[in-house]
Amino acid sequence: AGASAIVALLAAFPALERIRFTTTRLGEEGGAALVQSLVDGKSRSFVHIEISDNQIGEEAGALFVKHVLSNQPNLQVLNIVLF
């Protein structure tokens, strides 16, 4: 439920520049959904993304960094701390 809400939110606001999902209990599924929406979505305007203090895991975290960095050309801040 939470992962689909994230995807819907990002799709509804393609001009969004900052997202902060810290300490939200975002898990691997949510992390994967977030990556997918940032890569496949229309938005390429993010300058600040924070997803620290979540439980997305090392594999999802590595995919997140790889795909987001290559698909968000305006990104200036990426705060990701894996637990």
Side-chain angles (χ1 to χ4, degrees), residues 5-17:
I6 292 170
V7 171
L9 175 72
L10 294 177
F13 297 98
L16 202 59
E17 292 184 350

Side-chain angles (χ1 to χ4, degrees), residues 28-80:
E28 287 188 36
E29 181 183 331
L34 182 58
V35 167
Q36 198 66 36
S37 63
L38 291 172
V39 170
D40 294 342
K42 296 177 182 176
S43 176
R44 297 286 184 263
S45 59
F46 285 102
V47 294
H48 189 112
I49 299 174
E50 287 191 54
I51 60 165
S52 62
D53 198 16
N54 283 293
Q55 301 163 347
I56 64 171
E58 288 182 21
E59 185 175 330
L63 286 174
F64 185 88
V65 170
K66 175 184 174 186
H67 292 296
V68 170
L69 289 179
S70 63
N71 287 284
Q72 294 295 326
N74 300 317
L75 191 64
Q76 298 172 10
V77 175
L78 175 61
N79 184 357
I80 177 172

